[in-house]
Amino acid sequence: MSHDQDTVQNEDTVQIRVGRIADDAGLAALDAAAWTPASGFPSVIQATDGSFFSPDSPPQAHLVAEIGGRIAGYLRLKPMTRLPENAHVLGVFGLAVAPTARRRGVAAALLTAAEDQALARGAAKLSLRVLSTNHSAIRLYERQGFAHEGLLRGEFLIDGRYVDDVLMAKQLRPTG
């Protein structure tokens, strides 16, 4: 392989790292570009104040994907609750990929990194919720080994239409 080919390969490689405060503006812009009413909540999308991080979702709660040194996506990984009885479960509280970086393995790389981080933190289960209208995300989660665990029918009213909330999870190690 020539040096030029090696450079192109490295520019296409998805790199995952923990978020940092300097990512704030880039992740806010990615959020604005990535979410649609089918995949997210219009009220949240419209209510953005330009700041991505919050006290409840600090930089270190995020895994950031980069391609060629540019932010390509993120995944927010946090405990499902603050209850000690639930400490063995971590949740994916948002996963977004820049429209220009889609179909390049970014989401799969973020989910794999989240699983690795969850295991390193002692978690036995990784849980998430996804809108039933987000068919591509549901297929992705299924390919990554997530199973359907429940359905909250008509949980949200989005653009005048009731939308189900799909509960999915992946067992990382035995719990019973």
Side-chain angles (χ1 to χ4, degrees), residues 22-92:
D23 295 327
D24 191 65
L27 290 174
L30 184 149
D31 239 15
W35 294 103
T36 68
S39 63
F41 300 99
S43 62
V44 174
I45 296 165
Q46 295 163 0
T48 182
D49 63 0
S51 180
F52 183 80
F53 299 120
S54 69
D56 190 45
S57 291
Q60 62 271 23
H62 297 80
L63 296 174
V64 176
E66 291 184 337
I67 298 176
R70 303 181 88 167
I71 292 177
Y74 76 84
L75 182 148
R76 184 176 297 119
L77 184 66
K78 301 184 336 181
M80 289 300 292
T81 70
R82 294 180 181 186
L83 298 170
E85 295 86 354
N86 192 221
H88 64 285
V89 182
L90 288 180
V92 174

Side-chain angles (χ1 to χ4, degrees), residues 8-161:
V8 170
Q9 181 181 359
N10 288 338
E11 288 176 2
D12 287 340
T13 302
V14 178
Q15 300 290 323
I16 307 294
R17 62 172 173 75
V18 174
R20 46 189 180 234
I21 195 70
D23 295 327
D24 191 65
L27 290 174
L30 184 149
D31 239 15
W35 294 103
T36 68
S39 63
F41 300 99
S43 62
V44 174
I45 296 165
Q46 295 163 0
T48 182
D49 63 0
S51 180
F52 183 80
F53 299 120
S54 69
D56 190 45
S57 291
Q60 62 271 23
H62 297 80
L63 296 174
V64 176
E66 291 184 337
I67 298 176
R70 303 181 88 167
I71 292 177
Y74 76 84
L75 182 148
R76 184 176 297 119
L77 184 66
K78 301 184 336 181
M80 289 300 292
T81 70
R82 294 180 181 186
L83 298 170
E85 295 86 354
N86 192 221
H88 64 285
V89 182
L90 288 180
V92 174
F93 285 90
L95 188 158
V97 176
T100 57
R102 292 187 179 151
R103 304 250 179 253
R104 296 175 69 183
V106 173
L110 284 164
L111 286 165
T112 298
E115 184 176 335
D116 292 344
Q117 191 174 98
L119 283 166
R121 291 167 60 180
K125 181 178 177 179
L126 198 53
S127 293
L128 59 85
R129 295 169 69 163
V130 58
L131 296 178
S132 62
T133 51
N134 196 346
H135 304 289
S136 60
I138 292 170
R139 285 191 302 272
L140 166 73
Y141 298 139
E142 290 170 341
R143 283 194 309 271
Q144 291 293 121
F146 284 78
H148 293 252
E149 290 203 332
L151 181 71
L152 301 173
R153 296 190 187 282
E155 188 73 1
F156 300 104
L157 181 61
I158 299 174
D159 289 342
R161 183 172 156 226

